[in-house]
Amino acid sequence: MKISIERGALLKALGQAQSVVERRATIPILSNVLIDAEGDQVSFRTTDLDIEVVDRAPAMVERPGATTVSAVMLHEIVRKLPDGALVTLAEDSASGRLTIAAGRSTFSLATLPKEDFPVMASSEYASNFSAKAPVLRRLFDKAKFAISTEETRYYLNGVYMHVSTADGGQVLRCVATDGHRLARIDADLPEGATGMPGVIVPRKTVGELRKLLDDDDAIIAVSVSETKIRFATPAITLTSKVIDGTFPDYTRVIPTGNTKRLEVDATEFAKAVDRVATVSSERSRAVKLALDEDRLVLSVNAPDSGAAEEELAVAYGDEPLEIGFNAKYLLEIASQVDRENAVFLFNSSGDPTLMREGNDTSAVYVVMPMRV
């Protein structure tokens, strides 16, 4: 195999591919990238046995062929090469080395046979549809903060993507929860997604997928089966196993009868919570909200470190209420608001609180209160 490729194109392709590789892989070949040159393009394939990324880039292929080499090391070498350099990759199968040459620099890396590289078994996808990158980006970005990190409840370690109904029509919905807070985000149902099986997309996959969604004009081809999900653009294909488990019935925890309505500027609210939480104890991070007519007092009282209080002008016309929350959860939820004011709907100091942007019901967040 011998190819020549521009450094920028090579770095972009390798950057996406090498991020999947586990840094402490117990099987040596899993640390490698499979480089496959054919026709006028080269593909870079990496896997951790749960996720597989194939990244394609145009190249001048002198001798077609394939080999595997350390993904992280190759990425580091290319990253340190000068901008605009033409990089030549040549494999010498006799010595089992891949030579990387650019300008006056030459590197030689050990290779492993391509036959040893595990290729993810292809599967029949029950549902295939296309979605615009900004749509998927919003669905996953707004939900991912609520993904659980508790390994024991593995079925909460991802975003539950499924078809649901809202306001009389069908929607594509993403839900994540860790038992303390919940995010439910809806988007118009893309054509062809009607019969899609509901799947739990793992946390790592959500992080990797984010890199495919930066281009606002990109159209992502999504394929879903009971066991796998695949996201593809013309240059990149990301295939992932889904979490084998049943996502709990989240509709039961979304309150419908909360009537006490607080409207507040989300940015001002987040800044105020952040300021008063500075003195809270690391363990509880509790912030108390005291609501009265058109005013909100945020307070923290940590006996061992100090106290803080801040008052905000808000729109609130119901009976007075005192309720406590974890400051981190409030900050994360407030930071999801893009356009309008944040609207909080309370019931009592012991019941879950609902938050949304203005009157927009396509993004709904629930947070559990805590005793303060």
Side-chain angles (χ1 to χ4, degrees), residues 260 291-293 316-322 347:
K260 296 173 183 165
L291 285 156
D292 214 329
E293 195 169 328
Y316 181 78
D318 293 287
E319 59 193 63
L321 173 72
E322 287 196 353
N347 186 26

Side-chain angles (χ1 to χ4, degrees), residues 26 64 86 128 148 150 160 194 241 295:
T26 46
L86 187 69
N128 297 283
S148 172
E150 271 184 62
Y160 180 42
T194 319
K241 292 179 182 172
R295 65 191 274 264

Side-chain angles (χ1 to χ4, degrees), residues 105-128:
S105 311
T106 310
F107 302 86
S108 172
L109 297 183
T111 63
L112 287 171
K114 63 177 185 292
E115 293 76 22
D116 295 353
F117 194 86
V119 174
M120 199 176 263
S122 59
S123 63
E124 288 294 311
Y125 291 102
S127 177
N128 297 283

